[in-house]
Amino acid sequence: MAEVLVVGSCNMDLVFYAPRLPVPGETIHGTRFASGFGGKGANQCAAAAKLGAKAAMIGKVGNDTYGEECISNFKALGINADHVTVTGEASTGVGPVTVGEDGNNLLMIIPGANLHLTESDVDAASSLFQSAKVLLCQWEIPPHSTLHALKKAQDAGIFTIFNPAPAPQEKLSLDFFKYSDITCANETEASTMTGLEVTDVESAKVAVLHFLEMGCRIAIITLGKDGCVFASQGLEEPSWVQADKVNAVDTTGAGDSFAGALAFFFAKLPDLPLKEKLRRSCFVASDSVKREGAQKSYSWRRDLPDEVFA
Ligand code: RIB
């Protein structure tokens, strides 16, 4: 039984803390190293689970220590990991991340086993599609597997959220929008996908309307500390949702925290107006940047104010 189902990536993040981010060709001294559970799919699943959703993950890890640790971590978070399977073809995905003292990061992924998640793996988890209320997908697994999961979910009447992250390197099939109820991108992803430069609230308002013209039903662009902008078919004016000002320590995984929270609110409080779901998701994401790491920076439900869940 799962309310929020995630089909996506599992990584081990290798995090290098430094006074600032290096520029190309430069060597600088870092200050600390840490590892932590990451991967956009796994992060989003962890975020929804820590807020209190029954969550399940469909993913692929390598036959190695990181893979074993990722599966144990899902179980420790109460996530159904029955369909996180192991391949001998590649190592578990890793994400080397450099974090500067201003909380900003520089991030690369070596997807490894994530690229071995197939449509058959998704079909093998059909039972999870029977109970799920919300499906969340990103782009750190093969795009055809993502598209298959979105289509399968929509056929089953499940609400679908597509987070096209990281920014697509190839031309996007408009079918991704056809099978998604919500498309939620950050500035970089939105710029790549719309061909417009998205840097602030005003340019995001233009880009969400462009997303609607491309076929999105609801388009959201997240803007980090500036919150998010959204527009939906039938509602002409884009809206801006502001985020609380916080002191950012590490922004890694903040976008995933937002997406996981949004899935949580759709699954658990479906009658809440969209703008309020987004305001609360911004609150949850802003809370996560106050701490280091991705999944480990996400608060449990018990640590957040009751109003977030009312
Ligand atoms: O969004 C942050 C995540 O992106 C990291 O955890 C890293 O693993 C990459 O997937």
Side-chain angles (χ1 to χ4, degrees):
M1 158 77 179
E3 295 163 322
V4 173
L5 175 59
V6 179
V7 180
S9 58
C10 314
N11 291 338
M12 183 61 80
D13 287 349
L14 309 172
V15 191
F16 312 100
Y17 293 96
R20 62 178 173 80
L21 304 181
V23 296
E26 184 189 27
T27 303
I28 62 167
H29 282 267
T31 49
R32 255 170 338 113
F33 169 77
S35 61
F37 297 104
K40 295 183 195 303
N43 292 349
Q44 294 177 19
C45 198
K50 288 178 96 169
L51 291 174
K54 291 188 179 71
M57 180 79 197
I58 301 175
K60 188 75 82 179
V61 295
N63 189 10
D64 48 34
T65 312
Y66 286 162
E68 279 170 24
E69 289 175 358
C70 286
I71 291 175
S72 302
N73 176 57
F74 285 129
K75 291 181 181 162
L77 294 175
I79 292 169
N80 177 337
D82 292 352
H83 292 276
V84 178
T85 49
V86 178
T87 176
E89 302 286 310
S91 53
T92 299
V94 289
V97 191
T98 305
V99 180
E101 273 174 9
D102 61 358
N104 281 323
N105 65 43
L106 205 72
L107 175 47
M108 176 171 78
I109 49 163
I110 292 106
N114 292 304
L115 295 185
H116 293 259
L117 187 68
T118 63
E119 297 178 10
S120 307
D121 290 317
V122 174
D123 285 339
S126 286
S127 59
L128 293 175
F129 284 76
Q130 282 161 19
S131 64
K133 295 182 173 145
V134 180
L135 174 88
L136 252 177
C137 286
Q138 319 72 29
W139 236 349
E140 285 183 338
I141 60 168
H144 54 86
S145 301
T146 301
L147 191 59
H148 184 68
L150 288 167
K151 183 172 184 317
K152 190 177 174 76
Q154 208 162 76
D155 288 347
I158 298 169
F159 192 83
T160 51
I161 302 178
F162 172 44
N163 172 224
Q169 301 298 311
E170 56 198 75
K171 195 164 165 36
L172 178 89
S173 157
L174 295 182
D175 282 352
F176 281 94
F177 300 142
K178 185 167 148 197
Y179 299 126
S180 303
D181 291 299
I182 288 187
T183 301
C184 174
N186 69 13
E187 300 102 310
T188 316
E189 293 140 13
S191 298
T192 309
M193 291 165 72
T194 62
L196 303 168
E197 205 183 335
V198 182
T199 53
D200 55 16
V201 173
E202 288 315 308
S203 52
K205 284 183 174 175
V206 177
V208 283
L209 291 177
H210 192 81
F211 268 131
L212 297 190
E213 281 165 22
M214 291 168 80
C216 292
R217 286 196 268 289
I218 299 175
I220 301 167
I221 298 180
T222 55
L223 299 165
K225 63 179 174 31
D226 291 324
C228 69
V229 164
F230 74 100
S232 51
Q233 297 284 358
L235 283 180
E236 305 74 31
E237 291 301 315
S239 273
W240 176 32
V241 179
Q242 284 179 261
D244 296 318
K245 296 273 168 279
V246 294
N247 209 358
V249 168
D250 183 352
T251 57
T252 310
D256 299 327
S257 159
F258 178 92
L262 188 60
F264 168 84
F265 290 120
F266 269 97
K268 302 293 272 188
L269 297 170
D271 295 333
L272 215 57
L274 175 59
K275 193 163 187 176
E276 182 58 19
K277 288 188 180 85
L278 294 172
R279 195 187 66 74
R280 295 184 193 194
S281 301
C282 283
F283 177 85
V284 171
S286 299
D287 170 74
S288 78
V289 307
K290 296 183 206 160
R291 289 170 294 278
E292 290 183 350
Q295 294 177 35
K296 68 179 177 192
S297 73
Y298 303 161
S299 289
W300 290 92
R301 179 183 181 125
R302 60 178 176 267
D303 299 319
L304 291 166
D306 289 344
E307 303 87 83
V308 174
F309 305 97

PDB file of all heavy atoms in Angstrom, residues 7 26 67 85 118 127 149 158 163 182 207-208 225 228 230 232 240 274 290 292 305:
ATOM      1  N   VAL A   7       9.147   6.825  -9.068  1.00  0.00           N
ATOM      2  CA  VAL A   7       9.952   6.022  -9.992  1.00  0.00           C
ATOM      3  C   VAL A   7      11.151   6.901 -10.334  1.00  0.00           C
ATOM      4  O   VAL A   7      11.001   7.938 -11.007  1.00  0.00           O
ATOM      5  CB  VAL A   7       9.159   5.663 -11.268  1.00  0.00           C
ATOM      6  CG1 VAL A   7      10.024   4.838 -12.218  1.00  0.00           C
ATOM      7  CG2 VAL A   7       7.894   4.894 -10.910  1.00  0.00           C
ATOM      8  N   GLU A  26      40.597  25.959 -11.433  1.00  0.00           N
ATOM      9  CA  GLU A  26      41.149  26.403 -10.149  1.00  0.00           C
ATOM     10  C   GLU A  26      41.183  25.249  -9.139  1.00  0.00           C
ATOM     11  O   GLU A  26      40.286  24.417  -9.105  1.00  0.00           O
ATOM     12  CB  GLU A  26      40.262  27.516  -9.590  1.00  0.00           C
ATOM     13  CG  GLU A  26      40.789  28.124  -8.315  1.00  0.00           C
ATOM     14  CD  GLU A  26      39.798  29.083  -7.660  1.00  0.00           C
ATOM     15  OE1 GLU A  26      38.585  28.900  -7.861  1.00  0.00           O
ATOM     16  OE2 GLU A  26      40.228  29.993  -6.957  1.00  0.00           O
ATOM     17  N   GLY A  67      24.755   0.430  -2.723  1.00  0.00           N
ATOM     18  CA  GLY A  67      23.426  -0.078  -3.069  1.00  0.00           C
ATOM     19  C   GLY A  67      22.739  -0.670  -1.840  1.00  0.00           C
ATOM     20  O   GLY A  67      21.560  -0.390  -1.570  1.00  0.00           O
ATOM     21  N   THR A  85      15.576  -2.649  -7.101  1.00  0.00           N
ATOM     22  CA  THR A  85      16.264  -3.884  -7.438  1.00  0.00           C
ATOM     23  C   THR A  85      17.748  -3.639  -7.728  1.00  0.00           C
ATOM     24  O   THR A  85      18.183  -2.504  -7.883  1.00  0.00           O
ATOM     25  CB  THR A  85      15.572  -4.578  -8.642  1.00  0.00           C
ATOM     26  OG1 THR A  85      15.391  -3.603  -9.671  1.00  0.00           O
ATOM     27  CG2 THR A  85      14.219  -5.138  -8.246  1.00  0.00           C
ATOM     28  N   THR A 118      14.365  -0.247 -16.151  1.00  0.00           N
ATOM     29  CA  THR A 118      13.655  -0.439 -17.422  1.00  0.00           C
ATOM     30  C   THR A 118      12.133  -0.337 -17.272  1.00  0.00           C
ATOM     31  O   THR A 118      11.613  -0.341 -16.157  1.00  0.00           O
ATOM     32  CB  THR A 118      13.968  -1.842 -18.001  1.00  0.00           C
ATOM     33  OG1 THR A 118      13.457  -2.804 -17.052  1.00  0.00           O
ATOM     34  CG2 THR A 118      15.462  -2.053 -18.206  1.00  0.00           C
ATOM     35  N   SER A 127       1.583  -3.739  -8.817  1.00  0.00           N
ATOM     36  CA  SER A 127       0.733  -3.740  -7.617  1.00  0.00           C
ATOM     37  C   SER A 127       0.788  -2.369  -6.919  1.00  0.00           C
ATOM     38  O   SER A 127      -0.201  -1.930  -6.323  1.00  0.00           O
ATOM     39  CB  SER A 127       1.157  -4.844  -6.657  1.00  0.00           C
ATOM     40  OG  SER A 127       2.507  -4.651  -6.286  1.00  0.00           O
ATOM     41  N   ALA A 149       6.241   5.087 -16.909  1.00  0.00           N
ATOM     42  CA  ALA A 149       5.645   5.171 -15.558  1.00  0.00           C
ATOM     43  C   ALA A 149       4.537   6.222 -15.531  1.00  0.00           C
ATOM     44  O   ALA A 149       3.466   5.998 -14.950  1.00  0.00           O
ATOM     45  CB  ALA A 149       6.726   5.517 -14.536  1.00  0.00           C
ATOM     46  N   ILE A 158      -3.987   7.781 -11.461  1.00  0.00           N
ATOM     47  CA  ILE A 158      -3.118   8.358 -10.425  1.00  0.00           C
ATOM     48  C   ILE A 158      -2.700   9.763 -10.852  1.00  0.00           C
ATOM     49  O   ILE A 158      -2.386  10.001 -12.023  1.00  0.00           O
ATOM     50  CB  ILE A 158      -1.858   7.463 -10.242  1.00  0.00           C
ATOM     51  CG1 ILE A 158      -2.273   6.068  -9.775  1.00  0.00           C
ATOM     52  CG2 ILE A 158      -0.867   8.091  -9.280  1.00  0.00           C
ATOM     53  CD1 ILE A 158      -1.138   5.054  -9.816  1.00  0.00           C
ATOM     54  N   ASN A 163       8.959  16.062 -12.622  1.00  0.00           N
ATOM     55  CA  ASN A 163      10.022  17.022 -12.289  1.00  0.00           C
ATOM     56  C   ASN A 163      11.170  16.764 -13.269  1.00  0.00           C
ATOM     57  O   ASN A 163      11.949  15.826 -13.066  1.00  0.00           O
ATOM     58  CB  ASN A 163      10.443  16.775 -10.820  1.00  0.00           C
ATOM     59  CG  ASN A 163      11.660  17.560 -10.400  1.00  0.00           C
ATOM     60  OD1 ASN A 163      12.544  17.020  -9.742  1.00  0.00           O
ATOM     61  ND2 ASN A 163      11.728  18.816 -10.734  1.00  0.00           N
ATOM     62  N   ILE A 182       1.093  17.728 -13.431  1.00  0.00           N
ATOM     63  CA  ILE A 182       1.911  18.886 -13.064  1.00  0.00           C
ATOM     64  C   ILE A 182       3.304  18.705 -13.637  1.00  0.00           C
ATOM     65  O   ILE A 182       3.875  17.609 -13.577  1.00  0.00           O
ATOM     66  CB  ILE A 182       2.022  19.011 -11.524  1.00  0.00           C
ATOM     67  CG1 ILE A 182       0.693  19.473 -10.933  1.00  0.00           C
ATOM     68  CG2 ILE A 182       3.151  19.970 -11.122  1.00  0.00           C
ATOM     69  CD1 ILE A 182       0.727  19.786  -9.456  1.00  0.00           C
ATOM     70  N   ALA A 207       7.597  32.223 -18.652  1.00  0.00           N
ATOM     71  CA  ALA A 207       7.930  30.826 -18.992  1.00  0.00           C
ATOM     72  C   ALA A 207       6.808  29.853 -18.611  1.00  0.00           C
ATOM     73  O   ALA A 207       6.566  28.890 -19.340  1.00  0.00           O
ATOM     74  CB  ALA A 207       9.245  30.433 -18.323  1.00  0.00           C
ATOM     75  N   VAL A 208       6.116  30.089 -17.486  1.00  0.00           N
ATOM     76  CA  VAL A 208       5.031  29.140 -17.143  1.00  0.00           C
ATOM     77  C   VAL A 208       3.921  29.197 -18.195  1.00  0.00           C
ATOM     78  O   VAL A 208       3.324  28.157 -18.522  1.00  0.00           O
ATOM     79  CB  VAL A 208       4.431  29.330 -15.720  1.00  0.00           C
ATOM     80  CG1 VAL A 208       5.331  28.769 -14.647  1.00  0.00           C
ATOM     81  CG2 VAL A 208       4.035  30.751 -15.434  1.00  0.00           C
ATOM     82  N   LYS A 225      15.221  30.752  -3.167  1.00  0.00           N
ATOM     83  CA  LYS A 225      14.787  31.626  -2.057  1.00  0.00           C
ATOM     84  C   LYS A 225      13.612  32.519  -2.448  1.00  0.00           C
ATOM     85  O   LYS A 225      12.935  33.091  -1.591  1.00  0.00           O
ATOM     86  CB  LYS A 225      15.954  32.469  -1.560  1.00  0.00           C
ATOM     87  CG  LYS A 225      16.503  33.426  -2.602  1.00  0.00           C
ATOM     88  CD  LYS A 225      17.638  34.247  -2.036  1.00  0.00           C
ATOM     89  CE  LYS A 225      18.319  35.121  -3.051  1.00  0.00           C
ATOM     90  NZ  LYS A 225      17.568  35.661  -4.190  1.00  0.00           N
ATOM     91  N   CYS A 228       8.138  30.225  -5.742  1.00  0.00           N
ATOM     92  CA  CYS A 228       7.820  29.606  -7.036  1.00  0.00           C
ATOM     93  C   CYS A 228       6.727  30.406  -7.742  1.00  0.00           C
ATOM     94  O   CYS A 228       6.030  31.215  -7.131  1.00  0.00           O
ATOM     95  CB  CYS A 228       7.389  28.153  -6.854  1.00  0.00           C
ATOM     96  SG  CYS A 228       5.805  27.932  -6.046  1.00  0.00           S
ATOM     97  N   PHE A 230       3.507  29.771 -10.617  1.00  0.00           N
ATOM     98  CA  PHE A 230       2.742  28.706 -11.272  1.00  0.00           C
ATOM     99  C   PHE A 230       1.634  29.281 -12.151  1.00  0.00           C
ATOM    100  O   PHE A 230       1.215  30.435 -11.989  1.00  0.00           O
ATOM    101  CB  PHE A 230       2.144  27.733 -10.253  1.00  0.00           C
ATOM    102  CG  PHE A 230       0.960  28.277  -9.497  1.00  0.00           C
ATOM    103  CD1 PHE A 230      -0.340  27.936  -9.867  1.00  0.00           C
ATOM    104  CD2 PHE A 230       1.132  29.145  -8.430  1.00  0.00           C
ATOM    105  CE1 PHE A 230      -1.444  28.439  -9.171  1.00  0.00           C
ATOM    106  CE2 PHE A 230       0.058  29.656  -7.726  1.00  0.00           C
ATOM    107  CZ  PHE A 230      -1.233  29.293  -8.104  1.00  0.00           C
ATOM    108  N   SER A 232      -1.952  27.570 -14.488  1.00  0.00           N
ATOM    109  CA  SER A 232      -2.652  26.354 -14.912  1.00  0.00           C
ATOM    110  C   SER A 232      -3.636  26.673 -16.029  1.00  0.00           C
ATOM    111  O   SER A 232      -4.103  27.819 -16.147  1.00  0.00           O
ATOM    112  CB  SER A 232      -3.351  25.675 -13.731  1.00  0.00           C
ATOM    113  OG  SER A 232      -4.130  26.593 -13.044  1.00  0.00           O
ATOM    114  N   TRP A 240       2.587  34.151  -8.157  1.00  0.00           N
ATOM    115  CA  TRP A 240       3.870  34.011  -7.466  1.00  0.00           C
ATOM    116  C   TRP A 240       3.610  33.615  -6.012  1.00  0.00           C
ATOM    117  O   TRP A 240       2.786  34.235  -5.342  1.00  0.00           O
ATOM    118  CB  TRP A 240       4.625  35.341  -7.514  1.00  0.00           C
ATOM    119  CG  TRP A 240       5.928  35.375  -6.770  1.00  0.00           C
ATOM    120  CD1 TRP A 240       6.800  34.341  -6.583  1.00  0.00           C
ATOM    121  CD2 TRP A 240       6.509  36.502  -6.107  1.00  0.00           C
ATOM    122  NE1 TRP A 240       7.897  34.757  -5.858  1.00  0.00           N
ATOM    123  CE2 TRP A 240       7.743  36.089  -5.563  1.00  0.00           C
ATOM    124  CE3 TRP A 240       6.117  37.830  -5.945  1.00  0.00           C
ATOM    125  CZ2 TRP A 240       8.584  36.943  -4.847  1.00  0.00           C
ATOM    126  CZ3 TRP A 240       6.959  38.683  -5.236  1.00  0.00           C
ATOM    127  CH2 TRP A 240       8.177  38.242  -4.697  1.00  0.00           C
ATOM    128  N   LEU A 274      -4.462  24.817  -4.619  1.00  0.00           N
ATOM    129  CA  LEU A 274      -3.106  24.614  -5.166  1.00  0.00           C
ATOM    130  C   LEU A 274      -2.120  25.629  -4.592  1.00  0.00           C
ATOM    131  O   LEU A 274      -0.996  25.287  -4.208  1.00  0.00           O
ATOM    132  CB  LEU A 274      -3.151  24.709  -6.698  1.00  0.00           C
ATOM    133  CG  LEU A 274      -1.801  24.642  -7.403  1.00  0.00           C
ATOM    134  CD1 LEU A 274      -1.069  23.336  -7.088  1.00  0.00           C
ATOM    135  CD2 LEU A 274      -1.971  24.808  -8.918  1.00  0.00           C
ATOM    136  N   LYS A 290      18.261  24.833   5.910  1.00  0.00           N
ATOM    137  CA  LYS A 290      18.910  25.267   7.156  1.00  0.00           C
ATOM    138  C   LYS A 290      19.895  24.217   7.661  1.00  0.00           C
ATOM    139  O   LYS A 290      20.635  24.463   8.596  1.00  0.00           O
ATOM    140  CB  LYS A 290      17.851  25.500   8.231  1.00  0.00           C
ATOM    141  CG  LYS A 290      16.875  26.620   7.942  1.00  0.00           C
ATOM    142  CD  LYS A 290      15.959  26.746   9.156  1.00  0.00           C
ATOM    143  CE  LYS A 290      14.633  27.316   8.830  1.00  0.00           C
ATOM    144  NZ  LYS A 290      13.622  27.004   9.848  1.00  0.00           N
ATOM    145  N   GLU A 292      22.589  20.649   6.675  1.00  0.00           N
ATOM    146  CA  GLU A 292      23.443  20.070   5.631  1.00  0.00           C
ATOM    147  C   GLU A 292      22.828  18.803   5.042  1.00  0.00           C
ATOM    148  O   GLU A 292      22.062  18.104   5.701  1.00  0.00           O
ATOM    149  CB  GLU A 292      24.811  19.723   6.224  1.00  0.00           C
ATOM    150  CG  GLU A 292      25.622  20.959   6.557  1.00  0.00           C
ATOM    151  CD  GLU A 292      27.011  20.618   7.074  1.00  0.00           C
ATOM    152  OE1 GLU A 292      27.289  19.431   7.357  1.00  0.00           O
ATOM    153  OE2 GLU A 292      27.820  21.548   7.201  1.00  0.00           O
ATOM    154  N   PRO A 305       5.701  22.662  12.349  1.00  0.00           N
ATOM    155  CA  PRO A 305       4.496  23.184  13.022  1.00  0.00           C
ATOM    156  C   PRO A 305       3.236  22.448  12.561  1.00  0.00           C
ATOM    157  O   PRO A 305       3.139  22.038  11.390  1.00  0.00           O
ATOM    158  CB  PRO A 305       4.445  24.648  12.565  1.00  0.00           C
ATOM    159  CG  PRO A 305       5.758  24.939  11.930  1.00  0.00           C
ATOM    160  CD  PRO A 305       6.381  23.657  11.535  1.00  0.00           C
TER     161      PRO A 305
END
